[in-house]
Amino acid sequence: MNNEQNNNIITLKNRKILEIKGIKKIESLNPEEFYMNTSLGNLVVRGEGLEMQQVDIDKGDLWISGTIYSLEYIEDHKQNKTKQSIFGKIFK
């Protein structure tokens, strides 16, 4: 991977068009949430009416349209779900 592919560049235009560079893998997606692995870690994009407009995994580019509510880098998605379910069982 060259130095340019290690960059994680995010451009948000009017909360409607999101351009992300540095995508390694798209883990899951639906109209409310996109979960992906980037060159700088796991990223979750949340919003409403989210749609993938363009994707080029070889280049690491992704364009999403819709209403963007949040962008968040998080720890391992599967690990977080497991931790939440354990705590949810304890505090029921």
Side-chain angles (χ1 to χ4, degrees), residues 27-61:
E27 298 288 342
S28 65
L29 55 101
N30 63 56
E32 287 81 37
E33 181 178 273
F34 276 56
Y35 179 79
M36 64 206 82
N37 183 273
T38 74
S39 57
L40 294 179
N42 297 320
L43 176 66
V44 176
V45 176
R46 292 186 179 93
E48 183 178 322
L50 301 179
E51 293 182 9
M52 184 171 19
Q53 295 301 308
Q54 293 180 351
V55 65
D56 186 336
I57 295 297
D58 292 332
K59 289 184 179 179
D61 296 343

Side-chain angles (χ1 to χ4, degrees), residues 10-80:
I10 298 173
T11 305
L12 180 60
K13 298 177 182 177
N14 299 319
R15 289 186 67 189
K16 298 289 182 192
I17 301 291
L18 180 64
E19 301 173 37
I20 306 171
K21 296 182 181 283
I23 299 297
K24 290 183 175 182
K25 182 178 180 183
I26 299 172
E27 298 288 342
S28 65
L29 55 101
N30 63 56
E32 287 81 37
E33 181 178 273
F34 276 56
Y35 179 79
M36 64 206 82
N37 183 273
T38 74
S39 57
L40 294 179
N42 297 320
L43 176 66
V44 176
V45 176
R46 292 186 179 93
E48 183 178 322
L50 301 179
E51 293 182 9
M52 184 171 19
Q53 295 301 308
Q54 293 180 351
V55 65
D56 186 336
I57 295 297
D58 292 332
K59 289 184 179 179
D61 296 343
L62 173 65
W63 285 33
I64 300 171
S65 67
T67 303
I68 310 299
Y69 295 152
S70 69
L71 302 153
E72 180 181 10
Y73 286 95
I74 60 171
E75 296 302 317
D76 188 347
H77 189 63
K78 293 174 186 164
Q79 180 180 351
N80 283 347

